[in-house]
Amino acid sequence: MPKLRSTLTLCTMLAIASPGQAQDEEAPPPAFPETEIFLFDYDSAAEEDALSGGANVTDRPGYDNQPHFTKDSATFLYSRDDGTQTDIWEYDIASGEHARITQTPESEFSPTPSPDNRTISMVFERNTSIWELDRSNPDAPRWSLESAGVAEPVGYFARNHTTGAIFYWSRYGFSVALTHADEPAYHFIAGHAVPATPHLIPGTDEFSFVHRQTNEQVWIKAFDPETKAIRPLTPIVGANTNYTWTPDGAILQIEGDVVHRWREGSDGWEAIADLSDHGITSANRIAVSPDGNRIAIVGQSSE
């Protein structure tokens, strides 16, 4: 074993001492995919092109993803990389300015503002769980699931600040479960859950999630924390499992760079915007402002 360590050390020294050889090697791939966030005006009454006034509001090399609007619809939070890890940033719609909120050695994802906008919940790679920080003191985040006693790695989550309920997708378990921010709690809901952000359904205490059934159909379903009942809503469109709710109770989803809308009681999904007409390709994630007037879309510029 000592001889092996000496050989490895020599190889390392030779690699460092040979800059020409290192330059000939391919550079490692970027840590995060190239994505941009596009902001649009949204007309909920339109049946064809419901989007207008689109603009690339990040427009820089790198990863800008997971937009989430604040309650007043004036800003949105998002996850932004610096080449090695991500931090939480905020975009002010009126001023067009970007402000950094966190700066840690670990990555933060899925930034979610509280209704009063005083705190931000997030998936923090410090222990791969849900954490919360005060805007007044962003350098002192708190582990949100410590009281619940849930140490399971979390991929995505939704939170009801009124009841304290937290609904999450297990990163390695491919399941969804219900827990609580302030007390020991755990309720397994379903396995075969697809990796997708769950949502608190507007105007209710129910959560929605994406579930792959035993017949391989993939559905968006609703879960009632009070009765523990699961209610199927609609199959997804295509293969993209990212979706969002509008304030008036519709679901929006992107498939093939086309925005689709579903309303309960309708015959199915309707196409309401072709993003290729707006210079966007590889679109996959969507968010709607609480006032219902704006939509943020994650994708790439086709120009």
Side-chain angles (χ1 to χ4, degrees):
M1 292 299 292
K3 184 176 180 181
L4 177 59
R5 284 200 297 270
S6 298
T7 303
L8 290 173
T9 302
L10 177 60
C11 290
T12 302
M13 291 173 63
L14 288 173
I16 295 174
S18 305
Q21 181 179 353
Q23 290 173 1
D24 292 337
E25 296 175 356
E26 288 189 13
F32 302 94
E34 290 276 342
T35 52
E36 304 286 359
I37 300 176
F38 301 83
L39 188 64
F40 287 90
D41 294 327
Y42 171 59
D43 182 358
S44 61
E47 296 183 358
E48 294 183 358
D49 195 349
L51 306 185
S52 61
N56 183 346
V57 296
T58 50
D59 197 15
R60 67 173 197 100
Y63 175 88
D64 302 294
N65 211 321
Q66 300 182 323
H68 198 298
F69 287 91
T70 50
K71 183 67 174 178
D72 61 4
S73 301
T75 72
F76 66 74
L77 305 175
Y78 66 103
S79 183
R80 166 173 169 167
D81 86 306
D82 62 6
T84 58
Q85 55 86 51
T86 65
D87 288 302
I88 296 172
W89 287 66
E90 185 167 25
Y91 175 73
D92 185 285
I93 296 172
S95 68
E97 295 181 353
H98 298 261
R100 189 175 202 154
I101 295 178
T102 64
Q103 190 167 7
T104 66
E106 306 91 349
S107 288
E108 296 96 40
F109 297 100
S110 302
T112 306
S114 60
D116 62 12
N117 207 17
R118 293 181 179 178
T119 64
I120 299 171
S121 299
M122 60 189 179
V123 173
F124 196 13
E125 294 297 286
R126 181 166 295 180
N127 70 342
T128 323
S129 188
I130 303 168
W131 288 61
E132 180 181 340
L133 60 85
D134 290 323
R135 281 182 174 268
S136 60
N137 189 15
D139 295 329
R142 305 179 299 274
W143 183 22
S144 301
L145 300 186
E146 185 172 12
S147 296
V150 174
E152 184 175 17
V154 173
Y156 304 102
F157 73 96
R159 184 168 183 171
N160 186 337
H161 283 82
T162 301
T163 66
I166 295 177
F167 185 107
Y168 71 89
W169 178 80
S170 171
R171 180 173 296 198
Y172 303 116
F174 279 74
S175 59
V176 285
L178 183 72
T179 185
H180 200 278
D182 304 313
E183 60 190 42
Y186 176 83
H187 176 76
F188 177 86
I189 297 169
H192 302 287
V194 176
T197 300
H199 294 276
L200 183 64
I201 300 176
T204 77
D205 289 331
E206 295 187 349
F207 294 95
S208 63
F209 67 102
V210 183
H211 186 228
R212 185 180 300 280
Q213 303 181 150
T214 54
N215 64 357
E216 294 302 314
Q217 288 185 348
V218 181
W219 280 67
I220 299 173
K221 298 184 177 182
F223 171 76
D224 187 336
E226 181 68 26
T227 65
K228 305 300 188 292
I230 297 174
R231 179 169 57 97
L233 297 176
T234 178
I236 65 170
V237 178
N240 180 21
T241 57
N242 294 312
Y243 69 98
T244 193
W245 287 87
T246 65
D248 61 0
I251 298 177
L252 301 183
Q253 183 194 340
I254 300 171
E255 179 63 29
D257 292 330
V258 174
V259 180
H260 296 80
R261 181 172 58 204
W262 174 88
R263 300 184 191 274
E264 191 153 14
S266 65
D267 293 333
W269 294 88
E270 58 175 338
I272 61 169
D274 188 337
L275 297 176
S276 62
D277 294 339
H278 298 276
I280 300 175
T281 186
S282 303
N284 59 74
R285 190 177 291 272
I286 186 169
V288 182
S289 61
D291 63 10
N293 293 329
R294 291 188 173 93
I295 283 182
I297 288 175
V298 177
Q300 297 175 359
S301 175
S302 60
E303 298 177 356

